[in-house]
């Protein structure tokens, strides 16, 4: 009887030790997708406001190593090249027109360091007539605590 009691005590102790050594799973951080969507929309609004004002400059929208895939053009590589492309585009195509962006959806990574944005854009002339509209996708990454666009592409939904 004594041996059975000792064996039971040893087995119980071993089980208790194993249970107590079980590693706790880290609690996943709560990600506020709506707040991130608002943050991305604010970046889009700042981009549109700056562009519509005829001021094309680095506003912290694109990452230094960003690539944009404009319609009917080769990819533009690097923030400096993208800003220069936008200046040329603004001066030759968009003068007198206003662009706006609407973030429709965001898909946020588990650690919130990457966000894929799906949105729509609209370009209107001085009479508010739509001259172009379409859809876009952008990949944002968090660097130094702020989201910057790493990749983006768009497509018009108007016939040629």
């Amino acid at each position: 009887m004594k041996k059975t009691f000792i064996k039971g005590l040893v087995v119980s102790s071993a089980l208790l030790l194993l249970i107590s050594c079980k590693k706790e799973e880290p609690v996943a951080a709560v990600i506020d997708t709506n707040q991130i969507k608002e943050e991305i929309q604010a970046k889009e609004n700042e981009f549109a406001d700056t562009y519509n004002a005829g001021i094309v400059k680095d506003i912290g929208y694109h990452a230094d190593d960003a690539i944009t895939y404009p319609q009917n053009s080769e990819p533009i590589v690097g923030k400096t090249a993208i800003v220069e492309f936008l200046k040329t585009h603004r001066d030759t195509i968009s003068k007198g027109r206003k662009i706006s962006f609407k973030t429709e959806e965001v898909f946020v990574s588990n650690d919130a360091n990457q966000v894929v944005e799906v949105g729509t854009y609209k370009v209107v002339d001085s009479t508010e007539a739509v001259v172009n509209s379409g859809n876009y996708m952008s990949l944002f990454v968090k660097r130094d605590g702020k989201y910057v666009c790493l990749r983006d592409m768009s497509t018009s939904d108007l016939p040629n």
Side-chain angles (χ1 to χ4, degrees), residues 111-145:
D111 60 3
N113 285 323
Q114 293 187 350
V115 178
V116 173
E117 173 197 19
V118 177
T120 57
Y121 71 89
K122 181 170 57 170
V123 180
V124 296
D125 65 15
S126 60
T127 67
E128 297 296 314
V130 175
V131 295
N132 194 1
S133 61
N135 305 287
Y136 65 90
M137 290 182 75
S138 299
L139 169 63
F140 287 88
V141 294
K142 194 169 250 187
R143 294 188 178 162
D144 298 324

Side-chain angles (χ1 to χ4, degrees), residues 79-149:
K79 179 172 34 179
T80 303
I82 292 169
V83 170
E84 289 306 312
F85 173 81
L86 291 171
K87 283 180 183 176
T88 302
H89 185 265
R90 171 80 188 141
D91 292 342
T92 60
I93 299 171
S94 300
K95 220 168 205 169
R97 297 177 177 176
K98 303 261 186 221
I99 192 165
S100 61
F101 302 98
K102 182 169 188 235
T103 303
E104 300 290 343
E105 296 178 281
V106 291
F107 300 92
V108 183
S109 66
N110 291 339
D111 60 3
N113 285 323
Q114 293 187 350
V115 178
V116 173
E117 173 197 19
V118 177
T120 57
Y121 71 89
K122 181 170 57 170
V123 180
V124 296
D125 65 15
S126 60
T127 67
E128 297 296 314
V130 175
V131 295
N132 194 1
S133 61
N135 305 287
Y136 65 90
M137 290 182 75
S138 299
L139 169 63
F140 287 88
V141 294
K142 194 169 250 187
R143 294 188 178 162
D144 298 324
K146 296 182 180 180
Y147 287 111
V148 289
C149 183

Side-chain angles (χ1 to χ4, degrees), residues 41-94:
Q41 182 64 62
K43 291 195 85 52
E44 297 297 355
N45 293 345
E46 179 186 21
F47 182 90
D49 291 345
T50 304
Y51 190 78
N52 291 337
I55 307 165
V56 180
K57 62 180 183 171
D58 174 17
I59 59 169
Y61 181 87
H62 288 99
D64 289 335
D65 54 341
I67 300 175
T68 188
Y69 299 87
Q71 298 173 46
N72 305 313
S73 181
E74 293 292 317
I76 311 297
V77 180
K79 179 172 34 179
T80 303
I82 292 169
V83 170
E84 289 306 312
F85 173 81
L86 291 171
K87 283 180 183 176
T88 302
H89 185 265
R90 171 80 188 141
D91 292 342
T92 60
I93 299 171
S94 300

Side-chain angles (χ1 to χ4, degrees), residues 27-43:
V27 177
V30 176
I31 297 172
D32 186 346
T33 304
N34 289 328
Q35 184 274 328
I36 292 171
K37 184 177 180 183
E38 289 173 11
E39 189 175 339
I40 298 297
Q41 182 64 62
K43 291 195 85 52

Side-chain angles (χ1 to χ4, degrees), residues 2-17:
K2 194 174 182 182
K3 283 185 177 182
T4 305
F5 177 74
I6 292 175
K7 282 183 183 179
L9 186 61
V10 170
V11 170
S12 297
S13 297
L15 286 174
L16 187 60
L17 182 63

